[in-house]
Structures are given as C-alpha cells and as structure tokens.
Amino acid sequence: MEAATALASTRPAVLPPGPRLPRLFQSLRYALRPYGVIDEGARTYGETYTVRPFGQAPMVSFSDPDAVKAIFTGDAEAFRSGEALAPLLGPILGWHSILVLDGERHLRERRRMAPPFHGERMHVYGRLMREIAEEAVARWPIGQPFPIHKEMQGITLDVILRAVFGVDEGAAFARLRRVIRSFLAIADSAAAPFLGMRPFQIELGGVTPWGRFVRRRDDIRAILLDEIG
C-alpha cells in the first residue's frame, strides 16, 4: 500500500476536462466577458473544469459550494493562493503584496497590518467613511439621472486616501488623488482586460497601455514614499 501511494504521488495531476480552444482565444474571451465565460463553462463542463490561459499555468474553476468551502478552509500549504495569484497580481500590486504571499510570510505581514484595524481606530474609520459619503451625496443632483460609477469610485478613493493612507489635505492629497484617478482611468479603459496578461505587459517606453499603467503605479508609489519619509 505504501509503495502504491508513493508511486501515485509522483504521477502528474489529472485535471478535469475543459475548453479546447487555443490558449490565446480562451484568455481573450475571459478578459472581455469574465462572468459570462465562467457561467458558460459551468453549464458546459459542470461544476469543475479546467481552463488554460495564454502564458500561464492551467487553472481549475470550481463552482460547487462544498468544494469552494473546502478550498477556503483547507490547509494553507496545500492551497497556496498567493502562489496562484502571483503571476496575475504580482506585476500590478507588487511582488511583496500580502495578496501574493503564502505561509509564514503572509502571516507575518498580516500581523503587521492588524493593529490599525482594531478597537477605537475602527470607530474612527467608520465616522470618517460616513463623513466622506455624506459629503459626496450632498453634491449629487436631485431629480435627474447621473452616472453613479464615477461617484462611487470617488467615495472609495477618498476613503483610501484619508483612512488608509492618512493623506487628508494639501498639495500631496490633490496630487495623489489626481494620479490615482489617472491610474483608475486606465483600469477602466478598453485595455484593462489585457493588463493582467503577461504577454501584453510590455512597456515600450510608456507608450503602451501597460507602460502607462506602470508609470502611474510608480508615480503613486513615489508620492506615498515621500509622505512616509
């Protein structure tokens, strides 16, 4: 039995079936219609199926609630979500982001971040969020439709700047807000679906969508480091 178990563990994993389309086409379809493609895959192949993105390792999609629960409550060393997300999020958020870390490094960074999110600080954040939301709502037009996405994005941005980053006024606040809005505009553009695809992450001196994205990301980092320093 022990020999059979050892032999089985050395065999490559057998992944469930999934779309057989070319990898590039699979990635483009998902980038343009993520929810529709996931729903279509579940209807066609069942609750568990494999997709093969362009330039990345195969990914298995789960939609069964029990399977999803098992993954989220399973052994962190067996389900290394940071390692899985790193190729996608690392170039965007940075390779030391808590979202791309696993194991002891992930726990260490979580402990470092925990103190500001306990006790009275949470009440302060809550009051600040309410104040920001009320100020924004007071500026909304009455009796006429208006695009809500940009307004909600503005509320979220001000919460991040004032509550998370601690930048509340002055030239630094205005500059950081302007740069982040430019950053978000790229993320909301038609090029956004391709920003997470490694083959399209080409800078070319900042003239490509990825190049502009990286330039804005670095601008934000420089402003925050200046505030910290």
Side-chain angles (χ1 to χ4, degrees):
M1 177 67 70
E2 292 180 357
T5 302
L7 178 61
S9 66
T10 63
R11 295 173 180 170
V14 178
L15 300 178
R20 302 177 64 86
L21 299 169
R23 286 175 176 258
L24 178 59
F25 191 50
Q26 288 193 46
S27 292
L28 291 176
R29 290 182 72 244
Y30 178 80
L32 298 173
R33 298 177 51 250
Y35 298 110
V37 169
I38 291 174
D39 183 59
E40 180 183 308
R43 291 199 310 269
T44 305
Y45 302 101
E47 295 174 330
T48 305
Y49 63 94
T50 303
V51 294
R52 290 174 168 78
F54 184 57
Q56 299 180 37
M59 301 171 61
V60 179
S61 174
F62 295 87
S63 57
D64 175 69
D66 291 334
V68 174
K69 181 179 179 180
I71 292 171
F72 277 99
T73 59
D75 181 2
E77 287 302 316
F79 298 100
R80 298 176 65 85
S81 60
E83 181 180 326
L85 292 172
L88 175 64
L89 297 182
I92 298 174
L93 300 179
W95 297 101
H96 300 290
S97 168
I98 193 172
L99 297 179
V100 302
L101 299 178
D102 289 303
E104 181 56 35
R105 289 187 66 197
H106 178 85
L107 292 176
R108 184 170 66 248
E109 295 303 320
R110 283 191 61 180
R111 293 190 190 103
R112 288 179 177 177
M113 296 175 61
F117 295 97
H118 286 286
E120 178 58 26
R121 291 302 305 169
M122 295 303 296
H123 295 289
V124 173
Y125 294 149
R127 290 193 292 271
L128 183 56
M129 292 176 188
R130 182 175 61 191
E131 176 186 323
I132 292 170
E134 288 175 347
E135 290 175 355
V137 172
R139 295 191 297 267
W140 291 358
I142 298 176
Q144 64 183 71
F146 64 96
I148 193 67
H149 174 71
K150 186 176 180 180
E151 295 294 326
M152 299 304 293
Q153 194 178 71
I155 293 174
T156 303
L157 175 57
D158 285 351
V159 168
I160 293 173
L161 290 176
R162 296 170 62 182
V164 179
F165 292 159
V167 182
D168 200 16
E169 58 184 11
F173 177 83
R175 182 185 174 204
L176 186 57
R177 199 176 195 276
R178 183 174 64 255
V179 173
I180 292 180
R181 278 198 173 278
S182 178
F183 179 84
L184 294 174
I186 300 173
D188 284 340
S189 69
F194 306 99
L195 294 176
M197 297 185 189
R198 295 293 295 275
F200 295 98
Q201 293 173 353
I202 303 171
E203 292 192 41
L204 292 180
V207 299
T208 64
W210 176 251
R212 294 194 298 274
F213 185 87
V214 170
R215 182 176 295 178
R216 298 296 181 273
R217 182 194 65 188
D218 292 345
D219 289 343
I220 294 170
R221 181 174 183 270
I223 297 172
L224 292 178
L225 289 177
D226 186 60
E227 284 294 304
I228 294 171

